[in-house]
Amino acid sequence: MTLHTSDGCTLTPPSSLSSQLQPQILGKQCASSGSNDGCAYTDTNPKSYGHEFNLNAGGVYAHLWDSQGIKIWFFPRNAANVPPAV
């Protein structure tokens, strides 16, 4: 997942997750100027993308965008804790 913004925005990894659940951070500088890499991370859950995602018939991505920042969660299709649609 990647976010591209204007200058001055950076990715701050969540400190509340255990190290086993931390996603692989690919970039912390979100600005689209320069290299245009954006701030990005790879979810370590193999069901969140690609072949495993397809075999599992997809899943749900939920986003929260508020004054504290942007948060993204992934829930495999068969997860018991998928939030209801709003």
Side-chain angles (χ1 to χ4, degrees):
M1 291 163 249
T2 305
L3 176 67
H4 298 272
T5 67
S6 58
D7 290 336
C9 182
T10 58
L11 172 69
T12 304
S15 59
S16 61
L17 296 177
S18 73
S19 60
Q20 292 176 331
L21 297 176
Q22 290 286 347
Q24 180 183 3
I25 303 297
L26 303 175
K28 293 183 181 180
Q29 195 56 251
C30 304
S32 60
S33 59
S35 68
N36 198 31
D37 290 341
C39 52
Y41 70 90
T42 298
D43 192 328
T44 56
N45 182 342
K47 291 183 179 181
S48 69
Y49 63 95
H51 185 67
E52 293 291 325
F53 182 83
N54 294 336
L55 287 177
N56 198 46
V60 175
Y61 281 90
H63 301 81
L64 173 64
W65 186 352
D66 62 16
S67 61
Q68 300 297 309
I70 299 172
K71 297 178 182 179
I72 304 170
W73 296 269
F74 170 72
F75 302 89
R77 176 159 303 277
N78 58 354
N81 59 344
V82 174
V86 206

